[in-house]
Amino acid sequence: MSDHRCIAEDVKLGKDVRLAQFVNLYGCEVGDESKVGAFVEIQKNARVGARCKISSHTFICEGVTIEDNVFVGHGVVFINDMYPRATTPDGELQTERDWKVETTLIKKGASIGSGSTILARVTIGENAIVGAGSVVTRNVPANTVVAGNPARVLRSVPTLAYEGVR
């Protein structure tokens, strides 16, 4: 069986990282003991911390930092451009010089439900939980549950939900 993983030479993989087939990684970093599912792309200048689980069909773009112990569900998409355009005002295809990468930070112990979209310039706080299918348009406080489109705070995270997080 051939290996169906595309891992560029500039990728930094920590100890005991597990990568499924059909991943595309380039210019990124994945921390110790993290697990990356099938059909995941992690772009250059993105960082995934230690002991994270990145579920299948997720897209982690440039400018995203995911700290340790974070769960990312299936089909989660991160956004790094506040005003995306295909072309310049002159009608030429844009290049990297024509736009600014915006950053996103996912703090330690957070969980992001399947099918969520995380917009640029957002911080998701420690141990926060984003409900499946949410569209996160603004910062999420630590230890809260958010859900919806746009995602809104529903309640605090129950203590038992994050007791084991280091």
Side-chain angles (χ1 to χ4, degrees):
M1 179 176 172
S2 62
D3 188 354
H4 297 286
R5 292 180 279 210
C6 182
I7 304 167
E9 291 181 15
D10 59 356
V11 171
K12 295 177 185 170
L13 295 177
K15 182 180 175 189
D16 297 325
V17 170
R18 292 184 290 166
L19 301 174
Q21 296 289 309
F22 308 107
V23 296
N24 186 26
L25 311 178
Y26 54 97
C28 62
E29 181 178 333
V30 180
D32 296 346
E33 302 174 27
S34 285
K35 181 179 177 182
V36 178
F39 305 104
V40 169
E41 178 168 336
I42 306 176
Q43 293 187 327
K44 68 180 180 177
N45 302 320
R47 182 184 179 282
V48 174
R51 294 172 305 283
C52 293
K53 181 177 180 188
I54 310 300
S55 301
S56 67
H57 299 88
T58 289
F59 175 70
I60 301 172
C61 55
E62 180 177 6
V64 173
T65 299
I66 296 173
E67 293 184 348
D68 298 342
N69 306 324
V70 170
F71 171 83
V72 178
H74 301 279
V76 172
V77 175
F78 292 86
I79 309 293
N80 65 359
D81 189 347
M82 295 301 289
Y83 303 100
R85 297 282 187 249
T87 60
T88 66
D90 298 332
E92 299 295 321
L93 281 177
Q94 280 194 351
T95 67
E96 287 187 27
R97 295 183 309 253
D98 298 312
W99 64 286
K100 178 181 182 247
V101 173
E102 301 289 353
T103 61
T104 300
L105 175 61
I106 312 304
K107 303 285 275 180
K108 181 178 175 181
S111 293
I112 302 172
S114 294
S116 293
T117 300
I118 313 301
L119 270 58
R121 299 185 190 164
V122 165
T123 296
I124 296 177
E126 282 194 29
N127 304 312
I129 297 174
V130 175
S134 295
V135 177
V136 179
T137 61
R138 60 180 63 120
N139 293 343
V140 175
N143 304 308
T144 60
V145 177
V146 301
N149 180 4
R152 298 195 190 288
V153 174
L154 300 179
R155 62 184 170 276
S156 295
V157 173
T159 303
L160 294 176
Y162 59 90
E163 279 183 345
V165 176
R166 297 186 279 234

